[in-house]
């Protein structure tokens, strides 16, 4: 029996050992592929963000997210955000800051703190950002999937994400 999401209900979804089966990857799921446009429009690719060369890109994303959440009345402290990003980036320059690309366009930014909450088996995501023209298209889940692909090999079994209340 399938639930409203198309995923087998719990009664039929357990293995013979009584455990729920492992869920498939996004590549095998259909809900995000069935949106308008081609599959190429739905897929993003990821590259490291080089904070030395791309600090302005990072700050622009942080600033846009800040304005969306707090408006222009609350001052934006870019220096503090850059300090935090640099702390994460120095943990692993290939994985801590990531640019999500759709074709040749920047679609979003992902920041991971590889050390915070590590002793609790938690992967911490201090910042997830999608450019306005890429929002409301179901792409954000791919940023979370990228975080999972970084944290899972590190033994993290859960994620902690900081996000705006309206995005929760």
């Amino acid at each position: 029996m399938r639930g409203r999401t198309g995923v087998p209900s719990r009664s039929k979804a357990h293995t013979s050992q009584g455990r729920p089966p492992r869920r498939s990857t996004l590549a095998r799921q259909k809900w995000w592929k069935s949106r308008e446009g081609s599959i190429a429009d739905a897929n993003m690719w990821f590259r490291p963000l080089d904070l030395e060369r791309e600090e302005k890109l990072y700050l622009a994303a942080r600033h846009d997210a800040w304005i969306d959440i707090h408006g222009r009345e609350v001052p934006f402290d870019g220096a503090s955000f850059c300090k935090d990003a640099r702390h994460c980036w120095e943990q692993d320059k290939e994985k801590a800051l990531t640019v999500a690309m759709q074709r040749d366009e920047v679609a979003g930014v992902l920041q991971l703190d590889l050390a915070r909450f590590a002793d609790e088996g938690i992967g911490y995501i201090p910042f997830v950002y999608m450019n306005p023209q890429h929002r409301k298209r179901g792409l954000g889940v791919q940023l979370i999937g990228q975080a999972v692909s970084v944290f899972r090999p590190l033994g993290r079994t859960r994620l902690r994400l900081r996000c705006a209340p309206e995005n929760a």
Side-chain angles (χ1 to χ4, degrees):
M1 177 176 174
R2 294 197 177 269
R4 68 179 185 173
T5 62
V7 175
S9 65
R10 286 192 153 271
S11 61
K12 301 284 184 183
H14 284 68
T15 65
S16 60
Q17 293 83 24
R19 294 185 309 254
R22 292 180 185 254
R23 294 288 174 215
S24 66
T25 65
L26 284 175
R28 287 189 241 160
Q29 295 180 14
K30 306 255 187 288
W31 61 268
W32 64 275
K33 291 181 182 179
S34 63
R35 300 182 192 276
E36 290 182 27
S38 70
I39 297 298
D41 291 336
N43 289 325
M44 292 192 296
W45 58 278
F46 300 90
R47 66 170 179 80
L49 186 148
D50 182 341
L51 202 54
E52 295 294 333
R53 293 184 304 113
E54 300 179 293
E55 184 175 293
K56 288 181 181 179
L57 169 66
Y58 177 81
L59 271 176
R62 273 292 192 172
H63 185 261
D64 186 50
W66 183 268
I67 297 300
D68 279 354
I69 296 165
H70 303 286
R72 297 190 185 279
E73 303 301 316
V74 180
F76 173 72
D77 183 4
S80 291
F81 285 122
C82 276
K83 181 179 177 184
D84 182 57
R86 186 160 302 279
H87 170 75
C88 293
W89 188 60
E90 288 172 353
Q91 295 168 10
D92 188 324
K93 292 181 179 177
E94 295 294 312
K95 297 177 183 172
L97 296 175
T98 302
V99 179
M101 302 292 294
Q102 190 168 39
R103 298 184 187 214
D104 62 348
E105 261 183 69
V106 172
V109 174
L110 177 66
Q111 179 180 343
L112 307 177
D113 189 328
L114 302 175
R116 192 169 181 187
F117 304 117
D119 59 336
E120 299 173 48
I122 296 171
Y124 182 58
I125 307 171
F127 184 55
V128 175
Y129 174 79
M130 290 297 296
N131 283 333
Q133 63 271 29
H134 291 91
R135 294 179 190 163
K136 306 294 183 199
R137 294 175 39 201
L139 298 173
V141 69
Q142 292 181 56
L143 286 167
I144 302 304
Q146 178 66 14
V148 169
S149 74
V150 170
F151 284 124
R152 185 174 282 153
L154 298 175
R156 311 301 164 76
T157 56
R158 295 173 288 156
L159 295 176
R160 184 169 291 164
L161 169 66
R162 183 181 176 132
C163 68
E166 61 270 11
N167 291 331

